[in-house]
Amino acid sequence: MNFLASILLLFLSACAPLKEAALAPTQQGKQLAFDRNKGNCLACHAIEDGESPGNIGPALTKLPIRFKNKQQLREQIRDATVFNPETSMPPFGRNRILTDSEIDAIVEYLWTLN
């Protein structure tokens, strides 16, 4: 690889996080929720516009009715075992599957679903 190609590759790699950061939290949250290697919400939940959803967990709709506030939803995603030790939902925050900011983005997205 020549010098210019190396510089270009380095530049593009550095810009990748900026592209994600430029997304609105709801857009980033949707991306993470649908990402089979990150949030992977679709493995267990039906979500509007989601392809091949699972049916282990409840459909992710009308969450403001099921949760008092966004913080309660955030805590559920972070570590559902606190509320139900027998849950099959992974503790995304406790196990560092998702960062705090990624969980926040997913919450912002899910909160908007009807």
Side-chain angles (χ1 to χ4, degrees), residues 50-63:
E51 294 181 23
S52 302
N55 61 3
I56 295 169
L60 297 180
T61 60
K62 300 180 179 154
L63 295 179

mmCIF file with all atom_site columns, all heavy atoms in Angstrom, residues 50-63:
data_model
loop_
_atom_site.group_PDB
_atom_site.id
_atom_site.type_symbol
_atom_site.label_atom_id
_atom_site.label_alt_id
_atom_site.label_comp_id
_atom_site.label_asym_id
_atom_site.label_entity_id
_atom_site.label_seq_id
_atom_site.pdbx_PDB_ins_code
_atom_site.Cartn_x
_atom_site.Cartn_y
_atom_site.Cartn_z
_atom_site.occupancy
_atom_site.B_iso_or_equiv
_atom_site.pdbx_formal_charge
_atom_site.auth_seq_id
_atom_site.auth_comp_id
_atom_site.auth_asym_id
_atom_site.auth_atom_id
_atom_site.pdbx_PDB_model_num
ATOM 1  N N   . GLY A 1 50 ? -38.851 -3.710  11.686 1.00 0.00 ? 50 GLY A N   1
ATOM 2  C CA  . GLY A 1 50 ? -37.809 -4.703  11.905 1.00 0.00 ? 50 GLY A CA  1
ATOM 3  C C   . GLY A 1 50 ? -38.048 -5.956  11.081 1.00 0.00 ? 50 GLY A C   1
ATOM 4  O O   . GLY A 1 50 ? -39.186 -6.393  10.923 1.00 0.00 ? 50 GLY A O   1
ATOM 5  N N   . GLU A 1 51 ? -36.973 -6.518  10.568 1.00 0.00 ? 51 GLU A N   1
ATOM 6  C CA  . GLU A 1 51 ? -37.052 -7.746  9.776  1.00 0.00 ? 51 GLU A CA  1
ATOM 7  C C   . GLU A 1 51 ? -36.706 -8.949  10.641 1.00 0.00 ? 51 GLU A C   1
ATOM 8  O O   . GLU A 1 51 ? -35.761 -8.911  11.417 1.00 0.00 ? 51 GLU A O   1
ATOM 9  C CB  . GLU A 1 51 ? -36.097 -7.671  8.589  1.00 0.00 ? 51 GLU A CB  1
ATOM 10 C CG  . GLU A 1 51 ? -36.485 -6.618  7.579  1.00 0.00 ? 51 GLU A CG  1
ATOM 11 C CD  . GLU A 1 51 ? -35.530 -6.587  6.388  1.00 0.00 ? 51 GLU A CD  1
ATOM 12 O OE1 . GLU A 1 51 ? -34.869 -7.603  6.127  1.00 0.00 ? 51 GLU A OE1 1
ATOM 13 O OE2 . GLU A 1 51 ? -35.463 -5.536  5.745  1.00 0.00 ? 51 GLU A OE2 1
ATOM 14 N N   . SER A 1 52 ? -37.457 -10.016 10.506 1.00 0.00 ? 52 SER A N   1
ATOM 15 C CA  . SER A 1 52 ? -37.244 -11.287 11.210 1.00 0.00 ? 52 SER A CA  1
ATOM 16 C C   . SER A 1 52 ? -37.189 -11.115 12.730 1.00 0.00 ? 52 SER A C   1
ATOM 17 O O   . SER A 1 52 ? -36.230 -11.536 13.373 1.00 0.00 ? 52 SER A O   1
ATOM 18 C CB  . SER A 1 52 ? -35.948 -11.946 10.716 1.00 0.00 ? 52 SER A CB  1
ATOM 19 O OG  . SER A 1 52 ? -36.001 -12.166 9.335  1.00 0.00 ? 52 SER A OG  1
ATOM 20 N N   . PRO A 1 53 ? -38.234 -10.520 13.319 1.00 0.00 ? 53 PRO A N   1
ATOM 21 C CA  . PRO A 1 53 ? -38.208 -10.341 14.775 1.00 0.00 ? 53 PRO A CA  1
ATOM 22 C C   . PRO A 1 53 ? -38.466 -11.642 15.510 1.00 0.00 ? 53 PRO A C   1
ATOM 23 O O   . PRO A 1 53 ? -39.101 -12.558 14.988 1.00 0.00 ? 53 PRO A O   1
ATOM 24 C CB  . PRO A 1 53 ? -39.357 -9.356  15.018 1.00 0.00 ? 53 PRO A CB  1
ATOM 25 C CG  . PRO A 1 53 ? -40.319 -9.636  13.914 1.00 0.00 ? 53 PRO A CG  1
ATOM 26 C CD  . PRO A 1 53 ? -39.456 -9.998  12.722 1.00 0.00 ? 53 PRO A CD  1
ATOM 27 N N   . GLY A 1 54 ? -37.978 -11.704 16.734 1.00 0.00 ? 54 GLY A N   1
ATOM 28 C CA  . GLY A 1 54 ? -38.265 -12.829 17.598 1.00 0.00 ? 54 GLY A CA  1
ATOM 29 C C   . GLY A 1 54 ? -39.566 -12.582 18.347 1.00 0.00 ? 54 GLY A C   1
ATOM 30 O O   . GLY A 1 54 ? -40.161 -11.509 18.237 1.00 0.00 ? 54 GLY A O   1
ATOM 31 N N   . ASN A 1 55 ? -39.989 -13.566 19.131 1.00 0.00 ? 55 ASN A N   1
ATOM 32 C CA  . ASN A 1 55 ? -41.218 -13.398 19.896 1.00 0.00 ? 55 ASN A CA  1
ATOM 33 C C   . ASN A 1 55 ? -41.061 -13.834 21.351 1.00 0.00 ? 55 ASN A C   1
ATOM 34 O O   . ASN A 1 55 ? -42.039 -14.123 22.030 1.00 0.00 ? 55 ASN A O   1
ATOM 35 C CB  . ASN A 1 55 ? -42.373 -14.138 19.225 1.00 0.00 ? 55 ASN A CB  1
ATOM 36 C CG  . ASN A 1 55 ? -42.127 -15.628 19.130 1.00 0.00 ? 55 ASN A CG  1
ATOM 37 O OD1 . ASN A 1 55 ? -41.120 -16.137 19.606 1.00 0.00 ? 55 ASN A OD1 1
ATOM 38 N ND2 . ASN A 1 55 ? -43.047 -16.336 18.507 1.00 0.00 ? 55 ASN A ND2 1
ATOM 39 N N   . ILE A 1 56 ? -39.836 -13.869 21.827 1.00 0.00 ? 56 ILE A N   1
ATOM 40 C CA  . ILE A 1 56 ? -39.576 -14.242 23.215 1.00 0.00 ? 56 ILE A CA  1
ATOM 41 C C   . ILE A 1 56 ? -40.030 -13.128 24.161 1.00 0.00 ? 56 ILE A C   1
ATOM 42 O O   . ILE A 1 56 ? -40.631 -13.370 25.186 1.00 0.00 ? 56 ILE A O   1
ATOM 43 C CB  . ILE A 1 56 ? -38.077 -14.546 23.437 1.00 0.00 ? 56 ILE A CB  1
ATOM 44 C CG1 . ILE A 1 56 ? -37.677 -15.764 22.629 1.00 0.00 ? 56 ILE A CG1 1
ATOM 45 C CG2 . ILE A 1 56 ? -37.756 -14.734 24.911 1.00 0.00 ? 56 ILE A CG2 1
ATOM 46 C CD1 . ILE A 1 56 ? -36.187 -16.005 22.560 1.00 0.00 ? 56 ILE A CD1 1
ATOM 47 N N   . GLY A 1 57 ? -39.714 -11.880 23.776 1.00 0.00 ? 57 GLY A N   1
ATOM 48 C CA  . GLY A 1 57 ? -40.094 -10.725 24.584 1.00 0.00 ? 57 GLY A CA  1
ATOM 49 C C   . GLY A 1 57 ? -41.288 -10.016 23.979 1.00 0.00 ? 57 GLY A C   1
ATOM 50 O O   . GLY A 1 57 ? -41.694 -10.307 22.850 1.00 0.00 ? 57 GLY A O   1
ATOM 51 N N   . PRO A 1 58 ? -41.849 -9.066  24.715 1.00 0.00 ? 58 PRO A N   1
ATOM 52 C CA  . PRO A 1 58 ? -43.002 -8.331  24.203 1.00 0.00 ? 58 PRO A CA  1
ATOM 53 C C   . PRO A 1 58 ? -42.619 -7.415  23.040 1.00 0.00 ? 58 PRO A C   1
ATOM 54 O O   . PRO A 1 58 ? -41.456 -7.029  22.902 1.00 0.00 ? 58 PRO A O   1
ATOM 55 C CB  . PRO A 1 58 ? -43.461 -7.513  25.409 1.00 0.00 ? 58 PRO A CB  1
ATOM 56 C CG  . PRO A 1 58 ? -42.240 -7.360  26.249 1.00 0.00 ? 58 PRO A CG  1
ATOM 57 C CD  . PRO A 1 58 ? -41.433 -8.614  26.037 1.00 0.00 ? 58 PRO A CD  1
ATOM 58 N N   . ALA A 1 59 ? -43.603 -7.095  22.231 1.00 0.00 ? 59 ALA A N   1
ATOM 59 C CA  . ALA A 1 59 ? -43.369 -6.133  21.145 1.00 0.00 ? 59 ALA A CA  1
ATOM 60 C C   . ALA A 1 59 ? -42.962 -4.799  21.761 1.00 0.00 ? 59 ALA A C   1
ATOM 61 O O   . ALA A 1 59 ? -43.482 -4.396  22.809 1.00 0.00 ? 59 ALA A O   1
ATOM 62 C CB  . ALA A 1 59 ? -44.641 -5.963  20.313 1.00 0.00 ? 59 ALA A CB  1
ATOM 63 N N   . LEU A 1 60 ? -42.017 -4.136  21.116 1.00 0.00 ? 60 LEU A N   1
ATOM 64 C CA  . LEU A 1 60 ? -41.529 -2.860  21.641 1.00 0.00 ? 60 LEU A CA  1
ATOM 65 C C   . LEU A 1 60 ? -42.343 -1.720  21.035 1.00 0.00 ? 60 LEU A C   1
ATOM 66 O O   . LEU A 1 60 ? -41.924 -1.059  20.085 1.00 0.00 ? 60 LEU A O   1
ATOM 67 C CB  . LEU A 1 60 ? -40.027 -2.714  21.368 1.00 0.00 ? 60 LEU A CB  1
ATOM 68 C CG  . LEU A 1 60 ? -39.177 -3.770  22.075 1.00 0.00 ? 60 LEU A CG  1
ATOM 69 C CD1 . LEU A 1 60 ? -37.696 -3.566  21.768 1.00 0.00 ? 60 LEU A CD1 1
ATOM 70 C CD2 . LEU A 1 60 ? -39.407 -3.763  23.580 1.00 0.00 ? 60 LEU A CD2 1
ATOM 71 N N   . THR A 1 61 ? -43.522 -1.527  21.597 1.00 0.00 ? 61 THR A N   1
ATOM 72 C CA  . THR A 1 61 ? -44.413 -0.448  21.202 1.00 0.00 ? 61 THR A CA  1
ATOM 73 C C   . THR A 1 61 ? -45.011 0.174   22.456 1.00 0.00 ? 61 THR A C   1
ATOM 74 O O   . THR A 1 61 ? -45.080 -0.473  23.508 1.00 0.00 ? 61 THR A O   1
ATOM 75 C CB  . THR A 1 61 ? -45.578 -0.951  20.319 1.00 0.00 ? 61 THR A CB  1
ATOM 76 O OG1 . THR A 1 61 ? -46.319 -1.910  21.057 1.00 0.00 ? 61 THR A OG1 1
ATOM 77 C CG2 . THR A 1 61 ? -45.082 -1.579  19.034 1.00 0.00 ? 61 THR A CG2 1
ATOM 78 N N   . LYS A 1 62 ? -45.410 1.427   22.351 1.00 0.00 ? 62 LYS A N   1
ATOM 79 C CA  . LYS A 1 62 ? -46.114 2.128   23.433 1.00 0.00 ? 62 LYS A CA  1
ATOM 80 C C   . LYS A 1 62 ? -45.409 1.997   24.784 1.00 0.00 ? 62 LYS A C   1
ATOM 81 O O   . LYS A 1 62 ? -46.034 1.776   25.815 1.00 0.00 ? 62 LYS A O   1
ATOM 82 C CB  . LYS A 1 62 ? -47.550 1.652   23.513 1.00 0.00 ? 62 LYS A CB  1
ATOM 83 C CG  . LYS A 1 62 ? -48.298 1.908   22.230 1.00 0.00 ? 62 LYS A CG  1
ATOM 84 C CD  . LYS A 1 62 ? -49.714 1.434   22.292 1.00 0.00 ? 62 LYS A CD  1
ATOM 85 C CE  . LYS A 1 62 ? -50.325 1.777   20.952 1.00 0.00 ? 62 LYS A CE  1
ATOM 86 N NZ  . LYS A 1 62 ? -51.400 0.978   20.532 1.00 0.00 ? 62 LYS A NZ  1
ATOM 87 N N   . LEU A 1 63 ? -44.090 2.148   24.776 1.00 0.00 ? 63 LEU A N   1
ATOM 88 C CA  . LEU A 1 63 ? -43.320 1.988   26.009 1.00 0.00 ? 63 LEU A CA  1
ATOM 89 C C   . LEU A 1 63 ? -43.642 3.046   27.065 1.00 0.00 ? 63 LEU A C   1
ATOM 90 O O   . LEU A 1 63 ? -43.552 2.748   28.258 1.00 0.00 ? 63 LEU A O   1
ATOM 91 C CB  . LEU A 1 63 ? -41.830 1.928   25.695 1.00 0.00 ? 63 LEU A CB  1
ATOM 92 C CG  . LEU A 1 63 ? -41.441 0.685   24.879 1.00 0.00 ? 63 LEU A CG  1
ATOM 93 C CD1 . LEU A 1 63 ? -39.965 0.677   24.561 1.00 0.00 ? 63 LEU A CD1 1
ATOM 94 C CD2 . LEU A 1 63 ? -41.835 -0.591  25.573 1.00 0.00 ? 63 LEU A CD2 1
#
